[in-house]
Every structure is written in C-alpha cells, then in structure tokens.
C-alpha cells in the first residue's frame, strides 16, 4: 500500500482513538475530568505530534502502528514511565520516537524467533 495512504490511515486511527477517549471522559464526573486534565492534554499533544510524524514515517513504521491496539494509551503510559510526565513537547516527541523504535526491535526479535522455530 502506498505510504501516503498508510499515513492517512494512521491519522484516522489516531483521531478515532482520541474520539473514543474523549467520549469516555465526557461521561465522567467533573472532578474525574479535572483530575485527568494532564492526561487529556498530553494525549491531545500525542495526537498532534503523531499526525505530524506520520508524514515522515516509513511504510514499516506506519504498518506497525496501524496494527498496534490502544496506541494512544500505550504511548501515554510510555511517556509517563520515561519522564514522570514532567517534560515538554520536544521530549514527548522523543518519547514517541523511542517507543516506535522499541516496538520495531521487539517485532524483529519475534520474527527471528518464529523463523528459528520454523527451521527447527
């Protein structure tokens, strides 16, 4: 599939993920929403950054992220784990890059293990 189409599909997936998150949050009590303000803001920033990054990603990166369930929740949890959630937007972009690289390494390891099992 053409890279531009993959990027458009990823942007759609990101927007849909944010829409689902927003719809869940709207149903919460005001104090829960207020208490989740940082998470809401960070996920909005994640969406914006991913939308920008999707235009420069490789086909492999795009396909991997398209197949990844709960992408925004994963990237948010990785961000909080790495930074404690205290750094700025550029650091958030770096965290996304690190997460994507980590996922790619894990995929390669799994593919190698499957190849080795098939050869045995």
């Amino acid at each position: 599939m053409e890279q531009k189409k993959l990027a458009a599909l990823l942007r759609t997936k990101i927007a849909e993920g944010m829409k689902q998150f927003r719809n869940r949050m709207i149903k919460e009590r005001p104090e829960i929403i207020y208490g989740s303000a940082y998470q809401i803001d960070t996920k909005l920033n994640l969406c914006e950054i991913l939308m920008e990054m999707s235009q420069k990603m490789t086909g492999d990166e795009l396909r991997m992220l398209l197949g990844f369930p709960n992408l925004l929740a994963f990237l948010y949890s990785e961000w909080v784990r790495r930074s404690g959630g205290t750094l700025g937007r550029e650091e958030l972009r770096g965290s996304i890059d690190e997460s994507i690289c980590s996922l790619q390494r894990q995929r390669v390891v799994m593919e190698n293990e499957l190849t080795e099992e098939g050869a045995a």
Side-chain angles (χ1 to χ4, degrees), residues 3 5 11 14-15 44 50 60 66 70 72 74 82 88 118:
Q3 193 164 342
K5 289 181 184 178
R11 288 190 296 275
I14 294 164
L44 284 169
L50 278 170
D60 284 345
L66 280 167
N70 301 316
L72 287 177
F74 169 75
R82 284 191 177 109

Side-chain angles (χ1 to χ4, degrees), residues 34-102:
Y34 181 76
S36 301
Y38 177 79
Q39 181 181 12
I40 294 166
D41 183 58
T42 301
K43 284 188 175 182
L44 284 169
N45 282 322
L46 280 168
C47 286
E48 290 172 8
I49 293 168
L50 278 170
M51 296 281 189
E52 294 168 11
M53 290 174 72
S54 70
Q55 298 172 13
K56 297 176 183 173
M57 289 181 182
T58 67
D60 284 345
E61 289 172 328
L62 292 165
R63 279 186 282 281
M64 179 187 60
L65 294 178
L66 280 167
F68 197 87
N70 301 316
L71 181 60
L72 287 177
F74 169 75
L75 292 172
Y76 175 77
S77 67
E78 286 293 294
W79 162 249
V80 171
R81 183 182 66 78
R82 284 191 177 109
S83 71
T86 59
L87 303 174
R89 188 172 171 97
E90 283 308 308
E91 290 83 2
L92 183 57
R93 180 182 297 273
S95 178
I96 294 169
D97 281 334
E98 287 177 32
S99 295
I100 291 170
C101 288
S102 176

